[in-house]
Amino acid sequence: MRIESAEKIKTNRKQLARDEKRIAELKRLFMKVYEDNASGKLSDERYELLSQSYEAEQKQLEAEVAALQKAMEVQEQQNENIEKFIQKAQKYVGIESIDAYTLHELVQAIYVEAPDKSSGKRRQAIHIKYDGLGFIPLEELTK
């Protein structure tokens, strides 16, 4: 899980660098097109077409940069939370039973759903919200 997260952050950083480089390049191109139009080297129609194209691409890239930065912040916070939880949990490796203090330190909340008797057997789902991690399905924990 941590390796996948680190790879995702690395990929996002590379994409962010490419996008920021392209935004800087678009700004230079826009200035060049403006200067060429002002000096008469470029027609008004061509200038309008190019400037609209550059502006649209720049807006799209700026939105992508903002989304990437937000995603990276969330991912880095999740990594930090995972590390904190692992440090807490390492204290309890090999314990025989869980006391109230241990439970309070590792678990934020436990939600118990209403019982379901539709299959003829009483079944009740339990969801555990771990401190700093949120909900993790039982299938993920058993991997």
Side-chain angles (χ1 to χ4, degrees):
M1 182 178 218
R2 286 186 283 177
I3 295 170
E4 293 170 6
S5 179
E7 282 296 318
K8 189 171 184 172
I9 290 174
K10 185 178 176 182
T11 303
N12 284 349
R13 280 197 178 116
K14 285 181 182 178
Q15 183 64 42
L16 185 65
R18 282 192 299 265
D19 288 352
E20 287 175 341
K21 182 178 177 183
R22 179 62 181 163
I23 288 170
E25 184 180 347
L26 285 170
K27 287 178 181 178
R28 276 192 297 87
L29 288 171
F30 187 78
M31 288 173 49
K32 176 84 169 109
V33 167
Y34 179 77
E35 289 171 0
D36 286 350
N37 179 259
S39 67
K41 294 179 185 177
L42 192 64
S43 70
D44 289 342
E45 294 82 25
R46 179 64 73 187
Y47 167 76
E48 195 63 37
L49 178 70
L50 289 171
S51 65
Q52 287 176 0
S53 173
Y54 291 157
E55 284 181 38
E57 184 180 355
Q58 185 175 352
K59 284 180 183 178
Q60 184 234 341
L61 287 172
E62 287 171 347
E64 188 175 317
V65 163
L68 282 170
Q69 288 173 334
K70 179 73 173 163
M72 286 172 51
E73 286 174 15
V74 167
Q75 195 68 42
E76 287 170 350
Q77 183 62 47
Q78 286 176 345
N79 287 352
E80 189 177 313
N81 290 345
I82 290 170
E83 289 301 322
K84 286 179 184 178
F85 185 82
I86 289 172
Q87 288 174 359
K88 285 183 203 175
Q90 284 178 341
K91 294 190 289 188
Y92 303 107
V93 172
I95 63 171
E96 301 275 329
S97 63
I98 297 176
D99 60 2
Y101 177 77
T102 306
L103 188 63
H104 179 69
E105 189 171 23
L106 298 176
V107 175
Q108 187 174 10
I110 299 174
Y111 299 94
V112 180
E113 290 185 9
D116 178 23
K117 299 176 189 173
S118 63
S119 66
K121 293 184 179 180
R122 184 175 190 259
R123 300 195 62 110
Q124 203 163 5
I126 298 173
H127 305 283
I128 301 172
K129 186 174 184 180
Y130 296 93
D131 188 37
L133 299 180
F135 294 101
I136 301 175
L138 186 58
E139 303 83 43
E140 286 292 319
L141 290 174
T142 56
K143 285 184 182 175

